[in-house]
Amino acid sequence: MVTVRAPATSANLGSGFDVFGVALDRPADVVHVERADRTTIEVTGVGSQYIPTDPDRNVVGAVADALDAPAHIRIDKGVRPSSGLGSSAASSAAAALALNELYDRGLSREELVPVAAEGEAVVSGEAHADNVAPALLGGFTVATDEGVTTVDADIPLVACLPEIAVSTRDARRVVPDTASMDDLVHTVGRAATLSVGMCRRDPSLVGAGMDERIVTPARAELITGYHDVRESAFEAGADGVTVSGAGPSILAVCGERERTRVAAAMVEAFDEAGVAARAYKTRVGRGAEVFDI
Ligand SMILES: Nc1ncnc2c1ncn2[C@@H]1O[C@H](COP(=O)(O)OP(=O)(O)OP(=O)(O)O)[C@@H](O)[C@H]1O
Ligand SMILES: N[C@@H](CCO)C(=O)O
């Protein structure tokens, strides 16, 4: 048996739609795999009642197919599904790494990124890699058609998860088909600022680089209380606030000392909007870990 822990992730970071991602140091999924003649799946943990065990509908089934590695796969969910915290990606990444070990396939973590992205295609219709890349490699990742670049960043974060569900498939439907040249220039400037901030481990540059005018405003409409939560986080000292992945989680970047205040302000603002929420005080973390063979 092989056991792998793969972390939650936050994709996009505002200005890096479908490209940027970060691994979070918590929460995480734990996946156990054992060789079998055909793939079977068992799911426990947070939100497991909403997750199919049919290998054609669970992301790990697609990963097992891609690696030609049938197994009994047990998923202990720590990352709630439809959270914007890369729940499906955590399972996909963990399964890819675990099955690669179990069947001795010899693929590198970089080579496992497109394999794990096959799982994402099952749930959102597209094999985007911006969650599975940080879940496998850790740190801040830039995923493009050419491959993945990583930065071992260390930045404090707050991920605030409201008790509403937004599916990635639905959130992709509201993404505009076109953008003005002004908005593209603005996005490139912010994305470049954010990347420099990650390299310098500077929360204020990362925060300034999260601002984005094309995708985020459309998705904010799907999250009850978004504007108030964002404003409250800034008042509490956040350097930047945006939708985490496809939502509904909201991600804030801040200094170490502001983290507790920012987390409390975000939960309170959701509460005032009539939505229960929890906040993870977290930071950019490591990628998936094999911890028991
Ligand atoms: N192993 C799995 N873990 C989580 N969700 C799964 C899994 N397999 C299938 N799903 C389905 O995928 C959907 C959740 O994925 P989705 O991409 O919408 O959310 P997310 O991964 O939390 O979000 P994001 O990618 O925006 O961070 C749910 O419909 C869920 O039933
Ligand atoms: N980049 C993806 C991440 C969510 O899976 C999106 O925003 O739709």
Side-chain angles (χ1 to χ4, degrees):
M1 182 165 75
V2 178
T3 300
V4 170
R5 174 193 187 273
T9 49
S10 182
N12 304 333
L13 303 171
S15 58
F17 177 66
D18 274 358
V19 174
F20 290 167
V22 283
L24 307 180
D25 72 350
R26 74 193 188 106
D29 279 9
V30 176
V31 168
H32 313 267
V33 295
E34 282 173 279
R35 280 186 188 239
D37 294 337
R38 62 182 183 91
T39 295
T40 51
I41 298 166
E42 210 182 313
V43 190
T44 56
V46 192
S48 52
Q49 67 273 32
Y50 304 115
I51 300 178
T53 52
D54 174 355
D56 290 334
R57 293 172 55 225
N58 193 303
V59 293
V60 301
V63 173
D65 272 357
L67 285 170
D68 190 19
H72 178 60
I73 305 175
R74 249 183 331 121
I75 307 169
D76 186 10
K77 294 296 300 178
V79 189
R80 200 202 77 185
S82 303
S83 60
L85 296 176
S87 177
S88 48
S91 291
S92 300
L97 192 58
L99 293 168
N100 185 54
E101 289 280 334
L102 187 71
Y103 278 87
D104 213 8
R105 293 282 183 257
L107 299 181
S108 67
R109 285 180 184 240
E110 286 76 8
E111 288 169 330
L112 287 172
V113 169
V115 172
E118 290 302 318
E120 295 293 77
V122 171
V123 292
S124 72
E126 287 172 58
H128 51 263
D130 51 348
N131 285 108
V132 291
L136 279 162
L137 301 168
F140 167 61
T141 54
V142 178
T144 70
D145 295 344
E146 305 294 309
V148 182
T149 312
T150 62
V151 176
D152 182 18
D154 183 21
I155 299 281
L157 300 166
V158 176
C160 188
L161 170 60
E163 278 189 18
I164 45 181
V166 172
S167 81
T168 300
R169 202 178 276 270
D170 291 345
R172 290 187 84 80
R173 287 200 190 105
V174 305
V175 174
D177 289 331
T178 56
S180 70
M181 185 53 77
D182 271 0
D183 283 347
L184 289 175
V185 171
H186 175 264
T187 304
V188 170
R190 297 305 172 119
T193 303
L194 190 148
S195 300
V196 173
M198 288 290 184
C199 294
R200 292 191 188 163
R201 300 184 170 200
D202 179 341
S204 62
L205 274 185
V206 172
M210 282 179 163
D211 188 47
E212 192 271 340
R213 301 173 182 165
I214 303 164
V215 180
T216 315
R219 286 185 162 177
E221 299 309 313
L222 305 176
I223 306 170
T224 308
Y226 176 80
H227 298 288
D228 292 339
V229 173
R230 184 171 188 271
E231 202 177 307
S232 298
F234 276 122
E235 279 167 12
D239 292 304
V241 183
T242 193
V243 177
S244 178
S249 286
I250 301 179
L251 184 76
V253 57
C254 57
E256 196 77 54
R257 276 178 302 182
E258 283 76 36
R259 227 168 30 159
T260 300
R261 215 167 49 232
V262 169
M266 293 172 86
V267 170
E268 194 180 321
F270 263 128
D271 186 54
E272 279 166 15
V275 180
R278 68 168 296 182
Y280 294 96
K281 287 187 276 175
T282 181
R283 59 191 319 109
V284 179
R286 288 202 295 253
E289 290 168 282
V290 181
F291 63 86
D292 181 22
I293 297 182

